[in-house]
Amino acid sequence: MTDLYADGAAEANRTRAHWALTALEAFGKETGQNYIDGTLDVGDDVLRELGGDLLADLFHLARLNGCAPEFVIDAGLMHFEAELDEERAEEIEPYLERAKAAEIVLAPGDFKWDEDRPTIDGMEPADWLDHMGG
């Protein structure tokens, strides 16, 4: 088995998205909802319908096995948030290193995420560092 993180956290999460796409595609073929074209570009309407149906069926499976559907949701959210945190930590690392080299105090908590891009005080991190003299 290859190292899932060999190309970084962002690529690991793209691999996970492909796994989910494979599951949705197989589920859609089974249910007659053949909406998946093999790319990660899936419309909101398809994700809501097909993904929602798959989740509902996972909940039925959970219930039949004595597991509350909420536990499935909680576990999924926990994994998703941890994996997203890994990706974001990797993305901001160069800015933290640049700040450290310039003796500027900067911590991961100083970053906010706007449309999946990091910002600091509403600015792009590189612009913020330039403004701070780093």
Side-chain angles (χ1 to χ4, degrees), residues 20-49:
L21 183 71
T22 299
L24 281 178
E25 187 172 32
F27 181 76
K29 286 179 182 174
E30 187 71 21
T31 63
Q33 297 164 296
N34 299 310
Y35 309 139
I36 304 298
D37 66 4
T39 70
L40 289 178
D41 187 21
V42 180
D44 288 350
D45 56 337
V46 170
L47 284 173
R48 280 193 307 272
E49 179 184 337

Side-chain angles (χ1 to χ4, degrees), residues 1-8 11-12 15-16 19:
M1 185 167 162
T2 61
D3 178 8
L4 181 61
Y5 288 95
D7 294 323
E11 282 304 310
T15 297
R16 291 179 175 108
W19 293 341

Side-chain angles (χ1 to χ4, degrees), residues 61-118:
L61 179 62
R63 182 184 60 85
L64 289 172
N65 284 279
C67 178
E70 295 84 2
F71 293 150
V72 175
I73 293 169
D74 291 345
L77 282 173
M78 178 190 66
H79 287 284
F80 171 75
E81 289 170 353
E83 292 158 1
L84 185 59
D85 286 347
E86 290 171 345
E87 185 176 333
R88 288 178 169 178
E90 198 171 83
E91 189 169 341
I92 65 172
E93 185 61 31
Y95 302 116
L96 293 171
E97 290 176 8
R98 181 176 161 195
K100 184 177 179 180
E103 298 181 358
I104 297 171
V105 177
L106 184 62
D110 295 325
F111 292 85
K112 304 297 179 232
W113 294 87
D114 182 26
E115 295 184 23
D116 233 15
R117 301 289 309 152

